[in-house]
Amino acid sequence: MKIRTTYYLWLNTIILLLSSCAKADGLPGKGELLEDKKVLIVYLSRTQNTKTVAEIIHKNVGGTLVALELETPYPEHYQTTVNQVAEENRTGFLPPLKTKIDSIQKYDVVFVGFPTWGMQLPPPMKSFLKQYDLSGKKVIPFNTNGGYGIGSSFQTVKELCPKSEVFDGFTVKGGSERDGILFVMEGDKEVQVQSEVKKWLQKIGLLK
């Protein structure tokens, strides 16, 4: 009996130490951040690849899923849109959003998803982050790109959310509209991304 009691005391001590280490590393326990938290997933998607990643996240963490739409949509022609976005970035123009989110203050965790456009955060996502006050919230970016990475997009999210806790984001190669490769998040690719998203959510402590 004494040996068994000593064993359980030792086991509890180890568990407490591991728990303390996890908190010291800034990584909450599994599901800790989502307990009694309201989650919002906002995404911008032109070729539906970012939309698919948003839906995968939604299946894992729940919450409210919202697509960003503009009052005046971008042209369907790729190069025309590229030129327009370049001019918006140059001038700092923020395209007005058709999407309206009621009572944003009720959300505790906000995922923001977007493609990389011109190695930058797309202007519509800048509009969202400037229009809505996310102070005190946990902000989590996710991204799809044509193979050139996130550019300055994640850094811009941090700059536009100075009073938020911005988590390490997720990025994955999607389509390349420039090369005529559009929706790719299907079949084996979708299965792969589902696995990668789960690993990322576990890493940042948000998987249920």
Side-chain angles (χ1 to χ4, degrees), residues 47 49 144-147 172-176 181-185 189:
T47 57
N49 292 294
T144 62
N145 62 82
V172 65
K173 183 178 179 180
S176 177
I181 302 171
L182 304 180
F183 184 69
V184 300
M185 297 292 175
K189 176 70 173 181

Side-chain angles (χ1 to χ4, degrees), residues 106-137:
K106 72 182 180 183
Y107 295 102
D108 308 291
V109 179
V110 180
F111 287 84
V112 289
F114 45 83
T116 303
W117 284 0
M119 300 307 291
Q120 298 186 49
L121 185 69
M125 188 55 70
K126 294 178 186 176
S127 293
F128 170 76
L129 294 176
K130 282 187 173 282
Q131 181 174 337
Y132 293 96
D133 183 8
L134 303 184
S135 297
K137 303 183 186 301

Side-chain angles (χ1 to χ4, degrees), residues 157-173:
V157 171
K158 291 181 180 179
E159 292 170 358
L160 294 178
C161 301
K163 297 182 179 180
S164 305
E165 182 182 0
V166 181
F167 280 57
D168 290 338
F170 173 82
T171 184
V172 65
K173 183 178 179 180

Side-chain angles (χ1 to χ4, degrees), residues 7-22:
Y7 170 77
Y8 282 120
L9 287 172
W10 174 82
L11 184 61
N12 286 334
T13 301
I14 293 297
I15 291 172
L16 286 171
L17 285 173
L18 289 174
S19 176
S20 297
C21 288

Side-chain angles (χ1 to χ4, degrees), residues 80-98:
T80 303
T81 295
V82 168
N83 295 339
Q84 180 176 329
V85 169
E87 181 65 11
E88 290 174 350
N89 285 330
R90 186 186 70 80
T91 61
F93 176 76
L94 298 176
L97 301 175
K98 177 181 177 181

Side-chain angles (χ1 to χ4, degrees), residues 21-34:
C21 288
K23 290 181 178 179
D25 289 339
L27 297 176
K30 182 179 179 182
E32 180 181 323
L33 286 177
L34 293 181

